[in-house]
Amino acid sequence: MGYFKNINLENYRNFNNFQLDFSSGCNILIGPNGSGKTNILESISLFERGRGIRKENIKNLINNKSKKQHFKITSIFSHKLNNINLLIENQTNDFNMRKKIFINEDSSKESTKYLENIFSLIYFLPEMERLFLNSPSIRRNFLDRLIYSFNKNYNKIINNYKKNILERSNLLKNNNYDADWINSLEKEIVSLGIEIYDLRKKHLFEINNHLENIGYKKLYPYQISLTLKDTLFNDAFSNHRELEEVFLAQLKNNRSIDAILGGCKIGPHKSDIEGRNIEDNFNLNQFSTGQQKTIILLIILAQCKLLINNYNIIPVILFDEVCSHLDEENRKLLLDIIEKLEVQTFMTGTDKRLFSFLSTKAKYCNINDSTL
């Protein structure tokens, strides 16, 4: 099992100098709004590749009341009884500020890859309560985030796909573009696009299997199934060659309309994820926000079981304000995630009474003075 033993924040967000020790189990951050609870969750999320749970610009992580233009986050991560020293700080190169991660004072690709292989993050944010009411892009990002939790190369595939889409769009704006160049770009878009389709479909299949196993026990009110919806990618294609030919043909046929509208009319960046309750075939976009919270917690439970059982990965889970408007069913589900999975979890809230349903094993961390 891997877990964070502590966190030290220096000149980060609303903190000047701040330190907390953590339990390997459930950690509850209590404090008033604006005290920095979510900032602490964000600091943990920054140890993954990317810009953290808020996807914030790196310069905005610096304490805005400080004259220093530098922040530092340090932590000790325990993995198989070994302590790993972690450090994040901002660095400026050619007027661009970026995040730099050090693992035992080493920032090499090999060290970064080592950390990626032993640390995986799952999180719940308040806006997820409306997941199936939001735009398709939010649902795509949610699914992509689940895939990234065990496939650390996935973001590179997504980013390369987007880069090629953008390059094609820029070319199409110029009517005098090179035919060989755009043909080559479209072949790369198709190759990457089919890979994304396959990974998404495979992961939904695995998640659905774990959701089915959870639902079979009749412990929770819903048994759900998730489906990838896409105008191009469907079961009508018998093999990749056939899909590749259709994908390429449609890209070529859509060049004129894509030149006018920008972007690309087809591809995995246009997919959606649909969910239904199996018992009554009810679409999840008709569920209330409270019911959707239950659905998200069920997906998180299924994802954790998938990571543990299929990939031998023990995740760390961040729950931001998950206990607001929590009904009895969601309390039970949340309790099962925290206590039965035996993973490190972090939860935030304004009042300790919100967490009265948890066992006494939970560690409470009071965030009283946000200027420490």
Side-chain angles (χ1 to χ4, degrees), residues 115-188:
L115 179 62
E116 289 177 344
N117 289 333
I118 65 171
F119 166 50
S120 187
L121 194 67
I122 298 174
Y123 51 79
F124 173 93
L125 304 178
E127 56 265 31
M128 289 180 179
E129 293 181 11
R130 299 179 59 84
L131 179 67
F132 292 95
L133 297 173
N134 280 321
S135 67
S137 65
I138 301 296
R139 289 185 286 279
R140 286 194 301 271
N141 291 338
F142 177 77
L143 175 58
D144 288 343
R145 170 73 218 167
L146 297 182
I147 297 172
Y148 175 74
S149 67
F150 64 90
N151 183 349
K152 302 303 183 181
N153 193 49
Y154 185 62
N155 275 9
K156 183 178 180 180
I157 298 170
I158 292 286
N159 290 335
N160 285 340
Y161 174 79
K162 291 179 178 178
K163 179 182 176 182
N164 281 281
I165 290 287
L166 179 61
E167 188 171 351
R168 174 180 178 269
S169 181
N170 289 335
L171 271 181
L172 290 174
K173 292 176 183 177
N174 180 0
N175 291 326
N176 196 26
Y177 56 78
D178 182 86
D180 290 337
W181 188 358
I182 200 162
N183 285 335
S184 176
L185 272 178
E186 289 177 347
K187 286 182 180 179
E188 186 66 15

Coordinates of all heavy atoms in Angstrom, one line a residue, residues 115-188:
L115 N 7.5 7.0 -9.8 CA 6.4 7.6 -9.0 C 5.1 7.3 -9.6 O 4.1 6.9 -9.0 CB 6.6 9.1 -8.8 CG 5.5 9.8 -7.9 CD1 5.5 9.2 -6.5 CD2 5.8 11.3 -7.9
E116 N 5.0 7.5 -10.9 CA 3.7 7.3 -11.6 C 3.2 5.8 -11.5 O 2.0 5.6 -11.4 CB 3.8 7.6 -13.1 CG 4.0 9.1 -13.4 CD 4.2 9.4 -14.9 OE1 4.5 8.4 -15.6 OE2 4.0 10.5 -15.3
N117 N 4.1 4.9 -11.4 CA 3.8 3.5 -11.3 C 3.3 3.1 -9.9 O 2.7 2.0 -9.8 CB 5.0 2.6 -11.8 CG 5.2 2.7 -13.3 OD1 4.3 3.0 -14.0 ND2 6.4 2.5 -13.7
I118 N 3.7 3.9 -8.9 CA 3.3 3.5 -7.5 C 2.2 4.4 -6.9 O 1.7 4.1 -5.8 CB 4.5 3.5 -6.6 CG1 5.1 4.9 -6.4 CG2 5.6 2.5 -7.1 CD1 6.2 5.0 -5.4
F119 N 1.8 5.4 -7.6 CA 0.9 6.4 -7.1 C -0.2 6.6 -8.1 O 0.0 7.0 -9.2 CB 1.6 7.7 -6.8 CG 0.7 8.8 -6.5 CD1 -0.3 8.8 -5.6 CD2 1.0 10.1 -7.2 CE1 -1.1 9.9 -5.4 CE2 0.2 11.2 -6.9 CZ -0.9 11.0 -6.0
S120 N -1.5 6.4 -7.7 CA -2.6 6.6 -8.5 C -3.7 7.3 -7.7 O -3.9 7.0 -6.6 CB -3.2 5.3 -9.1 OG -4.2 5.5 -10.0
L121 N -4.3 8.3 -8.4 CA -5.3 9.2 -7.7 C -6.6 9.1 -8.3 O -6.8 9.0 -9.5 CB -4.7 10.6 -7.8 CG -5.4 11.7 -6.9 CD1 -5.0 11.4 -5.4 CD2 -4.9 13.1 -7.3
I122 N -7.7 9.0 -7.4 CA -9.1 9.1 -7.8 C -9.7 10.2 -6.9 O -9.4 10.4 -5.8 CB -9.8 7.8 -7.5 CG1 -9.2 6.7 -8.4 CG2 -11.3 7.9 -7.8 CD1 -9.8 5.3 -8.0
Y123 N -10.5 11.1 -7.6 CA -11.1 12.1 -6.8 C -12.6 12.4 -7.1 O -13.1 12.1 -8.2 CB -10.3 13.4 -6.9 CG -10.0 13.9 -8.3 CD1 -10.9 14.6 -9.0 CD2 -8.7 13.7 -8.8 CE1 -10.6 15.0 -10.3 CE2 -8.4 14.2 -10.1 CZ -9.4 14.8 -10.8 OH -9.1 15.3 -12.1
F124 N -13.2 12.9 -6.1 CA -14.6 13.4 -6.2 C -14.6 14.9 -5.9 O -14.2 15.4 -4.9 CB -15.5 12.7 -5.2 CG -16.9 13.3 -5.1 CD1 -17.9 12.7 -5.9 CD2 -17.2 14.4 -4.3 CE1 -19.2 13.3 -5.9 CE2 -18.5 14.9 -4.3 CZ -19.5 14.3 -5.1
L125 N -15.2 15.7 -6.9 CA -15.3 17.1 -6.7 C -16.8 17.4 -6.7 O -17.6 16.7 -7.3 CB -14.6 17.9 -7.9 CG -13.1 17.6 -8.0 CD1 -12.6 18.3 -9.2 CD2 -12.4 17.9 -6.8
P126 N -17.3 18.5 -6.1 CA -18.7 18.8 -6.0 C -19.4 18.9 -7.3 O -20.6 18.5 -7.4 CB -18.7 20.2 -5.2 CG -17.4 20.2 -4.5 CD -16.4 19.5 -5.3
E127 N -18.7 19.4 -8.3 CA -19.4 19.5 -9.6 C -19.7 18.2 -10.3 O -20.5 18.1 -11.2 CB -18.6 20.4 -10.6 CG -17.2 19.9 -10.8 CD -16.1 20.5 -9.9 OE1 -16.5 20.9 -8.8 OE2 -15.0 20.7 -10.3
M128 N -19.1 17.1 -9.8 CA -19.4 15.8 -10.3 C -20.9 15.3 -10.0 O -21.3 14.4 -10.7 CB -18.4 14.7 -9.8 CG -17.0 14.9 -10.3 SD -15.9 13.7 -9.7 CE -14.4 14.1 -10.5
E129 N -21.5 16.0 -9.1 CA -22.9 15.6 -8.8 C -23.8 15.8 -10.0 O -25.0 15.3 -10.0 CB -23.4 16.4 -7.6 CG -22.7 16.0 -6.3 CD -23.3 16.8 -5.1 OE1 -24.3 17.5 -5.2 OE2 -22.6 16.7 -4.0
R130 N -23.4 16.6 -10.9 CA -24.2 16.9 -12.1 C -23.5 16.3 -13.4 O -23.7 16.8 -14.5 CB -24.4 18.4 -12.3 CG -25.1 19.0 -11.1 CD -25.3 20.5 -11.3 NE -26.0 20.9 -12.5 CZ -27.3 20.9 -12.6 NH1 -28.0 20.6 -11.6 NH2 -27.9 21.3 -13.7
L131 N -22.8 15.2 -13.2 CA -22.0 14.7 -14.3 C -22.8 14.4 -15.5 O -22.5 14.7 -16.7 CB -21.2 13.4 -13.8 CG -20.4 12.7 -14.9 CD1 -19.2 13.6 -15.3 CD2 -19.9 11.3 -14.4
F132 N -24.0 13.7 -15.3 CA -24.8 13.3 -16.5 C -25.8 14.4 -16.9 O -26.6 14.2 -17.8 CB -25.5 12.0 -16.1 CG -24.6 10.8 -16.0 CD1 -24.1 10.5 -14.8 CD2 -24.1 10.2 -17.2 CE1 -23.2 9.4 -14.7 CE2 -23.2 9.1 -17.1 CZ -22.8 8.7 -15.8
L133 N -25.6 15.6 -16.3 CA -26.4 16.7 -16.7 C -25.5 17.8 -17.4 O -26.0 18.7 -18.1 CB -27.1 17.4 -15.5 CG -28.1 16.6 -14.8 CD1 -28.6 17.4 -13.6 CD2 -29.3 16.3 -15.7
N134 N -24.2 17.6 -17.3 CA -23.2 18.5 -17.9 C -23.0 18.2 -19.3 O -23.6 17.2 -19.9 CB -21.9 18.5 -17.1 CG -22.0 19.3 -15.8 OD1 -22.6 20.4 -15.8 ND2 -21.4 18.8 -14.7
S135 N -22.0 18.9 -19.9 CA -21.7 18.7 -21.4 C -21.0 17.4 -21.6 O -20.3 16.8 -20.7 CB -20.9 19.8 -21.9 OG -19.6 19.8 -21.2
P136 N -21.0 16.8 -22.8 CA -20.3 15.6 -23.1 C -18.8 15.7 -22.8 O -18.2 14.7 -22.4 CB -20.5 15.4 -24.6 CG -21.8 16.0 -24.9 CD -21.9 17.2 -23.9
S137 N -18.2 16.9 -23.0 CA -16.8 17.0 -22.7 C -16.4 16.7 -21.2 O -15.4 16.1 -21.0 CB -16.3 18.4 -23.1 OG -16.9 19.4 -22.2
I138 N -17.3 17.1 -20.3 CA -17.1 16.8 -18.9 C -17.1 15.3 -18.7 O -16.2 14.7 -17.9 CB -18.2 17.4 -18.0 CG1 -18.2 18.9 -18.2 CG2 -18.0 17.1 -16.6 CD1 -16.9 19.7 -17.8
R139 N -18.0 14.6 -19.3 CA -18.1 13.1 -19.2 C -16.9 12.4 -19.8 O -16.3 11.4 -19.3 CB -19.4 12.6 -19.7 CG -20.6 12.9 -18.9 CD -21.9 12.3 -19.4 NE -22.4 12.9 -20.6 CZ -23.1 14.1 -20.6 NH1 -23.4 14.7 -19.5 NH2 -23.5 14.6 -21.8
R140 N -16.4 12.9 -21.0 CA -15.2 12.4 -21.6 C -14.0 12.5 -20.7 O -13.2 11.6 -20.5 CB -15.0 13.1 -23.0 CG -15.9 12.7 -24.1 CD -15.3 13.2 -25.4 NE -15.1 14.6 -25.5 CZ -16.1 15.5 -25.9 NH1 -17.3 15.0 -26.2 NH2 -15.8 16.8 -25.9
N141 N -13.9 13.7 -20.1 CA -12.7 14.0 -19.3 C -12.8 13.1 -18.0 O -11.8 12.6 -17.5 CB -12.7 15.5 -18.8 CG -12.4 16.4 -20.0 OD1 -11.8 16.0 -20.9 ND2 -12.7 17.6 -19.9
F142 N -14.0 12.8 -17.5 CA -14.2 11.9 -16.4 C -13.7 10.5 -16.7 O -12.9 9.9 -16.0 CB -15.6 11.9 -16.0 CG -15.9 11.0 -14.8 CD1 -15.6 11.3 -13.5 CD2 -16.6 9.8 -15.1 CE1 -15.9 10.5 -12.5 CE2 -16.9 8.9 -14.0 CZ -16.5 9.2 -12.7
L143 N -14.1 10.0 -17.9 CA -13.7 8.7 -18.3 C -12.2 8.7 -18.5 O -11.5 7.7 -18.1 CB -14.4 8.3 -19.5 CG -14.0 6.9 -20.2 CD1 -14.2 5.8 -19.2 CD2 -14.8 6.7 -21.4
D144 N -11.7 9.7 -19.2 CA -10.2 9.7 -19.5 C -9.4 9.7 -18.2 O -8.3 9.2 -18.1 CB -9.9 10.9 -20.4 CG -10.4 10.8 -21.8 OD1 -10.7 9.7 -22.2 OD2 -10.5 11.8 -22.5
R145 N -9.9 10.4 -17.2 CA -9.3 10.5 -15.9 C -9.2 9.1 -15.3 O -8.2 8.7 -14.7 CB -10.0 11.4 -15.0 CG -9.7 11.5 -13.6 CD -8.3 12.2 -13.4 NE -7.6 11.5 -12.4 CZ -6.3 11.6 -12.1 NH1 -5.6 12.5 -12.8 NH2 -5.7 10.9 -11.1
L146 N -10.3 8.3 -15.4 CA -10.3 6.9 -14.9 C -9.2 6.1 -15.6 O -8.5 5.2 -15.0 CB -11.7 6.3 -15.0 CG -12.8 7.0 -14.3 CD1 -14.1 6.2 -14.5 CD2 -12.5 7.1 -12.8
I147 N -9.1 6.2 -16.9 CA -8.2 5.4 -17.7 C -6.7 5.8 -17.3 O -5.9 5.0 -17.1 CB -8.4 5.6 -19.2 CG1 -9.8 5.1 -19.6 CG2 -7.3 4.9 -20.0 CD1 -10.2 5.5 -21.0
Y148 N -6.5 7.1 -17.1 CA -5.2 7.6 -16.8 C -4.7 7.0 -15.4 O -3.5 6.9 -15.2 CB -5.1 9.1 -16.8 CG -3.8 9.7 -16.3 CD1 -2.7 9.6 -17.1 CD2 -3.7 10.2 -15.0 CE1 -1.5 10.1 -16.7 CE2 -2.5 10.7 -14.6 CZ -1.4 10.7 -15.4 OH -0.2 11.2 -15.0
S149 N -5.6 6.7 -14.5 CA -5.3 6.3 -13.2 C -4.4 5.0 -13.2 O -3.7 4.7 -12.3 CB -6.5 6.1 -12.3 OG -7.3 5.0 -12.8
F150 N -4.5 4.2 -14.3 CA -3.6 3.0 -14.4 C -2.8 3.0 -15.7 O -1.8 2.3 -15.8 CB -4.5 1.8 -14.4 CG -5.4 1.6 -15.5 CD1 -5.0 0.9 -16.7 CD2 -6.7 2.1 -15.5 CE1 -5.9 0.8 -17.7 CE2 -7.6 2.0 -16.5 CZ -7.2 1.3 -17.7
N151 N -3.2 3.9 -16.7 CA -2.4 3.9 -17.9 C -1.8 5.3 -18.0 O -2.4 6.2 -18.6 CB -3.3 3.6 -19.1 CG -2.6 3.6 -20.4 OD1 -1.4 4.0 -20.5 ND2 -3.2 3.2 -21.5
K152 N -0.6 5.5 -17.5 CA 0.0 6.8 -17.5 C 0.5 7.3 -18.8 O 0.9 8.5 -18.9 CB 1.2 6.8 -16.5 CG 0.9 6.3 -15.1 CD -0.2 7.2 -14.5 CE -0.5 6.8 -13.0 NZ -1.5 7.6 -12.4
N153 N 0.4 6.5 -19.8 CA 0.7 6.9 -21.2 C -0.5 7.5 -21.9 O -0.4 8.1 -23.0 CB 1.3 5.8 -22.0 CG 1.9 6.2 -23.3 OD1 2.8 7.1 -23.3 ND2 1.6 5.5 -24.4
Y154 N -1.6 7.4 -21.3 CA -2.9 7.8 -22.0 C -3.0 9.3 -22.3 O -3.4 9.6 -23.4 CB -4.1 7.3 -21.1 CG -5.4 7.6 -21.8 CD1 -5.8 6.9 -22.9 CD2 -6.4 8.4 -21.2 CE1 -7.0 7.1 -23.5 CE2 -7.6 8.6 -21.8 CZ -7.9 8.0 -23.0 OH -9.1 8.2 -23.6
N155 N -2.5 10.1 -21.3 CA -2.6 11.5 -21.6 C -1.7 11.9 -22.8 O -2.1 12.9 -23.5 CB -2.1 12.3 -20.3 CG -3.2 12.5 -19.4 OD1 -4.3 12.0 -19.5 ND2 -3.0 13.3 -18.3
K156 N -0.6 11.2 -23.0 CA 0.2 11.5 -24.1 C -0.5 11.2 -25.4 O -0.4 12.0 -26.4 CB 1.5 10.7 -24.0 CG 2.5 11.0 -25.1 CD 3.8 10.2 -25.0 CE 4.8 10.4 -26.1 NZ 6.0 9.6 -25.9
I157 N -1.3 10.1 -25.5 CA -2.0 9.8 -26.6 C -3.1 10.8 -26.9 O -3.3 11.3 -28.1 CB -2.7 8.4 -26.4 CG1 -1.7 7.3 -26.2 CG2 -3.6 8.0 -27.6 CD1 -2.2 6.0 -25.8
I158 N -3.8 11.2 -25.9 CA -4.8 12.3 -26.0 C -4.2 13.6 -26.5 O -4.8 14.2 -27.4 CB -5.6 12.5 -24.6 CG1 -6.4 11.3 -24.2 CG2 -6.4 13.8 -24.7 CD1 -7.7 11.1 -25.0
N159 N -3.1 14.0 -25.9 CA -2.5 15.3 -26.3 C -2.0 15.2 -27.7 O -2.1 16.2 -28.4 CB -1.4 15.6 -25.3 CG -1.9 16.0 -23.9 OD1 -3.0 16.4 -23.8 ND2 -1.1 15.8 -22.9
N160 N -1.4 14.1 -28.1 CA -0.9 14.0 -29.5 C -2.1 14.1 -30.5 O -2.0 14.6 -31.6 CB -0.1 12.7 -29.7 CG 1.3 12.8 -29.1 OD1 1.8 13.8 -28.9 ND2 1.8 11.6 -28.8
Y161 N -3.2 13.4 -30.1 CA -4.4 13.5 -31.0 C -4.9 14.9 -31.1 O -5.1 15.4 -32.2 CB -5.5 12.6 -30.4 CG -6.8 12.7 -31.1 CD1 -7.0 12.0 -32.2 CD2 -7.9 13.5 -30.6 CE1 -8.3 12.0 -32.9 CE2 -9.1 13.5 -31.2 CZ -9.3 12.8 -32.4 OH -10.5 12.9 -33.0
K162 N -5.0 15.6 -30.0 CA -5.4 17.0 -30.0 C -4.5 17.9 -30.9 O -4.9 18.8 -31.6 CB -5.6 17.6 -28.6 CG -6.7 17.0 -27.8 CD -6.8 17.5 -26.4 CE -7.9 17.0 -25.6 NZ -7.9 17.5 -24.2
K163 N -3.2 17.6 -30.7 CA -2.2 18.4 -31.4 C -2.4 18.2 -33.0 O -2.3 19.2 -33.7 CB -0.8 17.9 -31.0 CG 0.4 18.7 -31.7 CD 1.7 18.1 -31.3 CE 2.8 18.8 -32.1 NZ 4.2 18.2 -31.6
N164 N -2.6 17.0 -33.4 CA -2.8 16.8 -34.8 C -4.1 17.4 -35.3 O -4.2 17.8 -36.5 CB -2.8 15.2 -35.1 CG -1.4 14.7 -35.1 OD1 -0.7 14.8 -36.1 ND2 -1.0 14.1 -34.0
I165 N -5.2 17.3 -34.5 CA -6.5 17.9 -34.9 C -6.3 19.4 -35.1 O -6.8 20.0 -36.0 CB -7.5 17.7 -33.8 CG1 -8.0 16.2 -33.8 CG2 -8.7 18.6 -33.9 CD1 -8.8 15.8 -34.9
L166 N -5.5 20.1 -34.2 CA -5.3 21.5 -34.2 C -4.4 21.8 -35.5 O -4.7 22.8 -36.2 CB -4.6 22.0 -33.0 CG -4.2 23.5 -32.9 CD1 -5.5 24.3 -33.0 CD2 -3.4 23.8 -31.6
E167 N -3.4 21.0 -35.7 CA -2.5 21.3 -36.9 C -3.3 21.2 -38.2 O -3.2 21.9 -39.1 CB -1.4 20.3 -36.9 CG -0.3 20.6 -37.9 CD 1.0 19.8 -37.8 OE1 1.1 19.1 -36.8 OE2 1.8 19.9 -38.7
R168 N -4.2 20.1 -38.3 CA -5.1 20.0 -39.5 C -6.0 21.2 -39.6 O -6.2 21.7 -40.7 CB -5.9 18.7 -39.3 CG -6.9 18.5 -40.4 CD -7.7 17.2 -40.2 NE -8.7 17.0 -41.2 CZ -10.0 17.4 -41.1 NH1 -10.3 18.1 -40.0 NH2 -10.9 17.1 -42.0
S169 N -6.6 21.6 -38.5 CA -7.5 22.8 -38.6 C -6.8 24.0 -39.1 O -7.3 24.8 -39.9 CB -8.1 23.0 -37.2 OG -9.0 24.1 -37.2
N170 N -5.5 24.2 -38.6 CA -4.8 25.4 -39.1 C -4.4 25.3 -40.6 O -4.4 26.3 -41.3 CB -3.5 25.5 -38.3 CG -3.8 26.0 -36.8 OD1 -4.8 26.6 -36.6 ND2 -2.9 25.6 -35.9
L171 N -4.1 24.1 -41.0 CA -3.9 23.9 -42.4 C -5.1 24.2 -43.3 O -5.0 24.8 -44.4 CB -3.4 22.4 -42.7 CG -1.9 22.1 -42.6 CD1 -1.7 20.6 -42.9 CD2 -1.1 23.0 -43.5
L172 N -6.2 23.7 -42.8 CA -7.5 23.9 -43.6 C -7.9 25.3 -43.8 O -8.6 25.7 -44.7 CB -8.6 23.1 -43.0 CG -8.5 21.6 -43.1 CD1 -9.6 20.9 -42.3 CD2 -8.5 21.1 -44.5
K173 N -7.4 26.2 -42.9 CA -7.7 27.6 -43.0 C -7.0 28.2 -44.2 O -7.4 29.3 -44.7 CB -7.3 28.3 -41.7 CG -8.1 28.0 -40.5 CD -7.6 28.6 -39.3 CE -8.4 28.2 -38.0 NZ -7.8 28.8 -36.8
N174 N -5.9 27.5 -44.7 CA -5.2 28.0 -45.8 C -5.6 27.1 -47.0 O -5.3 25.9 -47.1 CB -3.7 27.9 -45.6 CG -2.9 28.3 -46.8 OD1 -3.4 28.7 -47.8 ND2 -1.5 28.2 -46.6
N175 N -6.3 27.6 -48.0 CA -6.8 26.8 -49.1 C -5.7 26.2 -50.0 O -5.9 25.3 -50.8 CB -7.7 27.7 -50.0 CG -9.0 28.0 -49.3 OD1 -9.5 27.2 -48.5 ND2 -9.6 29.2 -49.6
N176 N -4.5 26.7 -49.8 CA -3.4 26.3 -50.6 C -2.5 25.3 -49.8 O -1.3 25.3 -50.0 CB -2.6 27.5 -51.1 CG -1.6 27.2 -52.2 OD1 -1.9 26.2 -53.0 ND2 -0.5 27.9 -52.3
Y177 N -3.1 24.5 -49.0 CA -2.3 23.5 -48.2 C -1.7 22.4 -49.0 O -2.2 22.1 -50.1 CB -3.2 23.0 -47.1 CG -4.4 22.3 -47.5 CD1 -4.4 21.0 -48.0 CD2 -5.7 22.9 -47.3 CE1 -5.6 20.4 -48.4 CE2 -6.8 22.3 -47.7 CZ -6.8 21.0 -48.2 OH -8.0 20.4 -48.6
D178 N -0.7 21.8 -48.5 CA 0.0 20.6 -49.1 C -0.8 19.4 -48.9 O -1.1 19.0 -47.8 CB 1.4 20.5 -48.6 CG 2.2 19.4 -49.2 OD1 2.8 19.6 -50.3 OD2 2.1 18.2 -48.7
A179 N -1.2 18.7 -50.0 CA -2.0 17.5 -49.9 C -1.4 16.3 -49.2 O -2.0 15.7 -48.4 CB -2.4 17.0 -51.3
D180 N -0.1 16.1 -49.4 CA 0.6 15.1 -48.7 C 0.7 15.3 -47.2 O 0.6 14.4 -46.4 CB 2.1 14.9 -49.3 CG 2.1 14.4 -50.7 OD1 1.1 13.7 -51.1 OD2 3.1 14.6 -51.4
W181 N 0.9 16.6 -46.9 CA 1.0 16.9 -45.5 C -0.4 16.6 -44.8 O -0.4 15.9 -43.7 CB 1.3 18.4 -45.3 CG 1.6 18.8 -43.9 CD1 1.6 18.1 -42.8 CD2 2.0 20.1 -43.5 NE1 1.9 18.8 -41.7 CE2 2.2 20.1 -42.1 CE3 2.3 21.3 -44.2 CZ2 2.6 21.2 -41.4 CZ3 2.7 22.4 -43.5 CH2 2.8 22.4 -42.1
I182 N -1.5 17.1 -45.3 CA -2.8 16.8 -44.6 C -3.2 15.4 -44.7 O -3.8 14.9 -43.7 CB -3.9 17.7 -45.3 CG1 -5.0 17.9 -44.2 CG2 -4.4 17.2 -46.6 CD1 -5.9 19.0 -44.5
N183 N -2.8 14.6 -45.7 CA -3.1 13.2 -45.8 C -2.3 12.5 -44.7 O -2.9 11.6 -44.0 CB -2.7 12.6 -47.1 CG -3.6 13.0 -48.2 OD1 -4.8 13.3 -48.0 ND2 -3.1 13.0 -49.5
S184 N -1.1 12.9 -44.4 CA -0.3 12.3 -43.4 C -0.9 12.6 -42.0 O -0.9 11.7 -41.1 CB 1.2 12.8 -43.5 OG 1.9 12.3 -42.4
L185 N -1.3 13.9 -41.8 CA -1.9 14.3 -40.6 C -3.2 13.5 -40.3 O -3.4 13.0 -39.2 CB -2.3 15.8 -40.6 CG -1.2 16.8 -40.2 CD1 -1.8 18.2 -40.3 CD2 -0.8 16.5 -38.7
E186 N -4.0 13.3 -41.3 CA -5.3 12.6 -41.1 C -5.0 11.1 -40.8 O -5.8 10.5 -40.0 CB -6.2 12.8 -42.3 CG -6.7 14.2 -42.4 CD -7.5 14.5 -43.6 OE1 -7.5 13.6 -44.6 OE2 -8.2 15.5 -43.7
K187 N -4.0 10.5 -41.4 CA -3.7 9.1 -41.0 C -3.3 9.0 -39.6 O -3.6 8.0 -38.9 CB -2.6 8.6 -42.0 CG -3.0 8.3 -43.4 CD -1.8 7.8 -44.2 CE -2.3 7.5 -45.6 NZ -1.2 7.0 -46.5
E188 N -2.5 10.0 -39.1 CA -2.1 10.0 -37.7 C -3.3 10.2 -36.8 O -3.4 9.6 -35.7 CB -1.1 11.1 -37.4 CG -0.4 11.1 -36.1 CD 0.4 9.8 -35.8 OE1 0.7 9.1 -36.7 OE2 0.7 9.6 -34.6

